[in-house]
Amino acid sequence: MKLFVTGRQHVFDTLEEKIAANDHIIWFHVASLGEYEQAVPIINALKKNHPIHKILVSFFSPSGYEVKKNNSIADVVVYLPLDSIKNAKQFIKLAHPDIAVFIKYEIWPNYLRLLKKEAIPTILASGLFRSSQIYFKPYGGFMKKALCSFDYYFVQDNASKTLLQSIGIDQVSVSGDTRFDRVSHQIEMNNTLAFIEEFLDEHLCVVCGSTWPEDDAILINYVNSFKEKKAKPVKFIIAPHEIKPEKIKKLREKLKLPTVSYSNKDASNLKDHQVFIIDTIGLLTKIYSYANIAYVGGAMGTSGLHNILEPATFGVPIVIGCNYEKFPEANRLRQLAGLYSVKNEDDVASIFNKLIYDDSFRETTGLIAEHFINSNTGATKITVDYINNTLRPSI
């Protein structure tokens, strides 16, 4: 909360300092890190097509802003001030964007109404809607009006398009999710991590990524069971979502296998350990390239499922918790049998044993996940083509 408040204190000073009156600005607004990842492929394409434009990215959440404030591909990175009429007027006056691109869920009524009043083209990219949202309720008139401020919608699925059309919004296309484009390029990059190769020493690898305590509660006993198993040597990499020292200490205390962490890897003979705890950020995507099986955290609790597309792009079979209803990509991949959901320790043991000991099942499941990524790319081009046509007169 402190970051949420203090981070917004100097937004207008930053805009005044970094944006000149004659600058051309493309403004992206994202909630947090996940939505930023959806914006990245669009930003990269626009930077090539419109080099005279500056990219402004605003965040709602500290968890996104604090990670990207110094290493974003944008020219200007700020918090978005809270949605008051006064804040919206000052922000838009200083930013004076040629176009505004909001990502996924971000609906800010005062900002949107003012953008419309100023005739600034505004789109929603990778949008996702559910019937339970206020816009589709009889009492949702105020927020429904905010939706009408967008010039165009690019949504992830047909269900979202149908919902918008049910309230009279027809300027909408099903583009898909730009995250598929984002992760599909990861496989072309250098994902080599020498210390991971040393640790694995050619063993089968299970990566547990972005795990929360609720995930650990159903995983730890299964991991510990390999203390007595000799038939199929397996190594585990655990990348917790929270990497505070006290959290890592508690996790290590629960593990009965030889365990090493990233922070002390240089003082250890890595291949002698069976569990590797990644107590740093920024490595998980590359680590997934070494996985034979991936457990993606967040869905055992209420924090929200983390990115399943990152391991899927490497052709890795995926296991998640049971609370994933709000994540259409997880629902779709589960229907295709490239992903499996668990709700307790017995489920974990059952699906992990099948994936570990049945090579054919593991490989087939991974191929389904990889094909799922490859068959769902293209959202970036659809969105960028619209923006290119909209910006052309201002260049």
Side-chain angles (χ1 to χ4, degrees):
M1 281 303 296
K2 183 178 180 182
L3 289 171
F4 185 89
V5 174
T6 59
R8 286 171 161 77
Q9 291 177 353
H10 304 291
V11 171
F12 298 128
D13 293 336
T14 301
L15 294 178
E16 202 162 6
E17 175 190 345
K18 295 189 175 182
I19 297 178
N22 60 345
D23 283 341
H24 288 288
I25 303 296
I26 303 173
W27 171 29
F28 286 82
H29 176 62
V30 301
S32 192
L33 205 52
E35 290 76 18
Y36 173 80
E37 293 299 323
Q38 290 175 302
V40 165
I42 305 174
I43 294 172
N44 282 332
L46 292 176
K47 284 169 74 77
K48 292 178 183 177
N49 296 337
H50 304 279
I52 71 165
H53 280 76
K54 284 185 175 180
I55 303 295
L56 164 65
V57 172
S58 60
F59 283 91
F60 173 74
S61 166
S63 64
Y65 174 81
E66 294 300 324
V67 172
K68 292 298 179 181
K69 61 183 178 182
N70 295 321
N71 63 351
S72 169
I73 58 174
D75 299 288
V76 186
V77 181
V78 295
Y79 280 104
L80 187 66
L82 294 179
D83 190 30
S84 70
I85 295 174
K86 180 182 177 182
N87 283 344
K89 283 182 177 179
Q90 191 169 359
F91 188 96
I92 292 171
K93 179 182 178 181
L94 292 171
H96 55 81
D98 290 341
I99 191 169
V101 183
F102 286 53
I103 303 293
K104 196 175 181 179
Y105 295 133
E106 288 299 276
I107 313 296
W108 292 62
N110 287 311
Y111 282 93
L112 289 169
R113 279 198 295 271
L114 191 58
L115 286 165
K116 188 174 182 66
K117 181 181 178 182
E118 297 291 327
I120 297 170
T122 305
I123 69 169
L124 187 75
S126 291
L128 188 62
F129 294 94
R130 300 184 304 276
S131 59
S132 59
Q133 291 171 312
I134 190 172
Y135 323 114
F136 311 108
K137 302 296 184 183
Y139 50 83
F142 175 74
M143 292 299 292
K144 195 179 299 183
K145 285 181 181 178
L147 289 185
C148 296
S149 299
F150 284 102
D151 291 278
Y152 210 84
Y153 289 84
F154 294 95
V155 296
Q156 294 186 30
D157 55 25
N158 282 307
S160 295
K161 180 179 180 179
T162 301
L163 281 168
L164 289 173
Q165 289 176 330
S166 73
I167 58 172
I169 295 174
D170 294 313
Q171 65 277 21
V172 52
S173 295
V174 177
S175 64
D177 186 346
T178 54
R179 286 185 303 161
F180 285 91
D181 301 302
R182 172 79 162 139
V183 300
S184 70
H185 294 302
Q186 186 66 38
I187 203 165
E188 302 166 4
M189 299 179 183
N190 180 4
N191 296 297
T192 303
L193 295 170
F195 65 90
I196 294 293
E197 294 179 2
E198 182 184 348
F199 164 72
L200 291 177
D201 194 28
E202 299 185 353
H203 288 76
L204 195 79
C205 174
V206 177
V207 174
C208 302
S210 300
T211 56
W212 292 77
E214 297 91 341
D215 300 299
D216 297 337
I218 65 166
L219 292 171
I220 294 298
N221 283 342
Y222 183 77
V223 174
N224 285 336
S225 71
F226 278 81
K227 185 177 183 181
E228 309 300 330
K229 292 179 181 178
K230 306 295 183 185
K232 187 83 168 183
V234 177
K235 293 206 172 186
F236 295 88
I237 300 175
I238 303 175
H241 180 73
E242 296 181 306
I243 57 171
K244 294 178 180 178
E246 61 270 22
K247 301 280 187 181
I248 299 300
K249 183 174 182 290
K250 287 182 180 179
L251 176 59
R252 291 197 67 155
E253 287 172 350
K254 295 175 183 176
L255 292 163
K256 297 178 181 178
L257 301 174
T259 300
V260 63
S261 60
Y262 180 84
S263 58
N264 64 13
K265 64 180 173 57
D266 295 331
S268 305
N269 190 351
L270 296 180
K271 67 180 182 180
D272 292 339
H273 296 81
Q274 202 165 353
V275 180
F276 200 143
I277 297 176
I278 309 299
D279 54 349
T280 187
I281 61 172
L283 295 177
L284 183 56
T285 301
K286 289 187 175 184
I287 289 172
Y288 278 134
S289 71
Y290 290 93
N292 299 105
I293 301 160
Y295 178 94
V296 178
M300 273 310 298
T302 57
S303 56
L305 176 64
H306 290 276
N307 194 344
I308 66 166
L309 305 184
E310 289 181 343
T313 198
F314 293 109
V316 180
I318 298 163
V319 181
I320 63 172
C322 52
N323 301 316
Y324 60 92
E325 296 80 8
K326 296 180 180 179
F327 298 85
E329 69 276 15
N331 282 288
R332 287 157 57 200
L333 188 53
R334 188 186 183 200
Q335 290 169 1
L336 294 169
L339 173 149
Y340 290 86
S341 170
V342 296
K343 60 181 181 296
N344 53 43
E345 291 184 352
D346 289 341
D347 288 350
V348 168
S350 177
I351 188 59
F352 270 48
N353 283 339
K354 189 165 179 59
L355 287 167
I356 288 171
Y357 296 105
D358 188 335
D359 294 347
S360 177
F361 175 71
R362 182 177 67 251
E363 290 165 9
T364 299
T365 306
L367 285 172
I368 293 170
E370 182 180 8
H371 179 72
F372 177 65
I373 298 294
N374 295 335
S375 60
N376 282 282
T377 57
T380 300
K381 184 180 186 306
I382 294 170
T383 308
V384 169
D385 284 349
Y386 178 93
I387 296 173
N388 286 342
N389 290 330
T390 303
L391 286 176
R392 191 169 293 132
S394 67
I395 296 178

